[in-house]
Amino acid sequence: MATYIGLFHWTEKGISSFKDSPSRADAAAQELATIGVTLKEIYWTLGPYDLVAVLEAPDDETVTAAMLKLGAAGNVRSTTLRAFSRQEFEAIAAKA
């Protein structure tokens, strides 16, 4: 499984009900699992992003579908980064 970092901004809808964010995160984790994405960790953050998540998915297409599904709910907008472990990066560097 590939690892992804999700960076999230609340929309106006999301911030207006920020107290529901933990239960929305639980619901999102269950929904994402149905399409093959695992929400490994989520953090509520200070700074330019409201939430940061660590996700696992089998491929880019699956995590893209997951982010579209989350965005369609209207509470967040996302930026998704593919993340590589040290071991994965070392293998990539060896090919370069």
Side-chain angles (χ1 to χ4, degrees):
M1 294 277 267
T3 301
Y4 298 86
I5 306 300
L7 306 172
F8 298 95
H9 293 283
W10 278 320
T11 61
E12 288 299 316
K13 178 182 173 185
I15 192 67
S16 69
S17 58
F18 68 90
K19 290 182 180 181
D20 297 331
S21 184
S23 62
R24 286 196 308 257
D26 292 341
Q30 290 177 351
E31 184 71 22
L32 295 179
T34 67
I35 60 172
V37 176
T38 302
L39 176 61
K40 299 293 285 182
E41 297 185 56
I42 187 166
Y43 299 95
W44 286 259
T45 57
L46 299 174
Y49 296 98
D50 299 308
L51 303 109
V52 175
V54 179
L55 308 150
E56 285 186 347
D59 52 49
D60 293 348
E61 293 80 7
T62 302
V63 80
T64 299
M67 294 303 100
L68 289 169
K69 193 168 214 174
L70 283 180
N75 292 302
V76 293
R77 296 289 175 251
S78 64
T79 299
T80 308
L81 309 169
R82 173 64 166 93
F84 298 95
S85 68
R86 180 184 180 130
Q87 182 179 7
E88 289 170 322
F89 183 76
E90 287 173 344
I92 291 166
K95 290 180 182 181

